[in-house]
Amino acid sequence: MYDTAHLGTFDAERWWRPIDLADLPAVACGGSVATMDELLAAYCGPDDLLLTRAPMTAGLRAGLAAAGIRFTHRFVEDVSTTGGTAEALVRQNPRLLANLRACRTLAPYAVLPDTAVLAADVNRMDQLPPVVTVGEVNSKVWSNDVVCDLGLAGAATVVRSAAELVAAVTACEGPAVVKDPFGVSGRGLLEIDNPRRLDRISAALDRQYAQGRRIELLVQDRYVCRTNFSAQLTIGRDGSVEVLGVQVMENDGFRYAGSAPGTALFVQDLTERGYFDTVTDVAKRLAAAGYHGPACIDSALLADDTVVPVFEVNARRSMGLLCLTLQRRFHDSGLTCRLVDRTLRVAPGLGLDDLLDALHAQRLLYQGNAAPGVLVLSGSGLAPPSARVYLALFERPGTDLTPQVTTALAARGFTTAGVVRAV
């Protein structure tokens, strides 16, 4: 018998999005999410089961174990099927279904329609919130309705036609941001800063509308943010709310690039502004809608010192929660955990073992103690010409391992595609 089973599909918003919605003609950010389920190892204890879509390399498993992260691992043997959810693949594997039935608790990254079917297959349906509710509260339209109801700063205008889009964008004081209700991390989001671009987008939406697809988008001013951050919460089945902490986010444009804990002074300032009272109110709305489980509320401190407490609600696990979990896990080390998302250019012939060797050669691999280092969290599929990896940097307060890591990897043939700055 295992304690908790961790699994999931990281492009969750795709599976909540109604199929009849018109697409915002945005350029999606690169980087496959297929092997991001390796990140769920950060939540695992020695009695837990981690199910991933693909195998994890021995080097990755060994690095996690050296830091004290141990678990039982199983993977879907047939990885030739693409485009589906991990949950759907697990349902096709009798051996993995038997493993799940031997777990006391099912802990998915997010609750998707396929997650609900899988939970029913293994008699764990009562542990999850209703999937219809999960899809509803993860829409930016739902969170925007909450913002409007509570009278908070940062409300967007919901538009349901190309003409309404033109009117809402024109009404903005400067550049406008247009969001898909189920976009995430730069995907399904466009900045409109000139009439020609607005005309092209409007025409594209009109064409889809003529084909029978409905339009639902959100428009708001392009804010100048001083600090992007998020509140991490847990909502109990009884409606109780626990605020776990605040994570400061680093973004590359609109794309997520990293997380780190908010400083004590920053958290104190938010407390005095009533921020945590607001996020608790939002969490209570989630509970009233029927949701329970992990939640993340994305927020921002603007350049004019205004706090926008709710940009969107993510009713699922998040990168901020992952970073916070690692921080709590290694709290006794006295180090600060900083999570970075990197897209690397990979020289021919190299793989994850070479990346691990490069860090090991410079004594940069984290060992779970008070010595600073890097914990590699994902990357089993790392291969030329480029790949996406997540690294947890355990650093002493006021220090930054980024230059050492960059130098060590570059010496072995890995260079960063795009700049990832310290949080």
Side-chain angles (χ1 to χ4, degrees), residues 17-35:
R17 192 177 191 277
I19 60 174
D20 64 336
L21 277 187
D23 294 317
L24 185 63
V27 179
C29 293
S32 172
V33 300
T35 60

Side-chain angles (χ1 to χ4, degrees), residues 89-107:
L89 295 178
V90 169
R91 291 188 65 233
Q92 299 171 22
N93 190 311
R95 178 179 61 87
L96 297 183
L97 286 174
N99 288 150
L100 284 182
R101 292 189 182 101
C103 295
R104 294 186 178 89
T105 305
L106 188 63

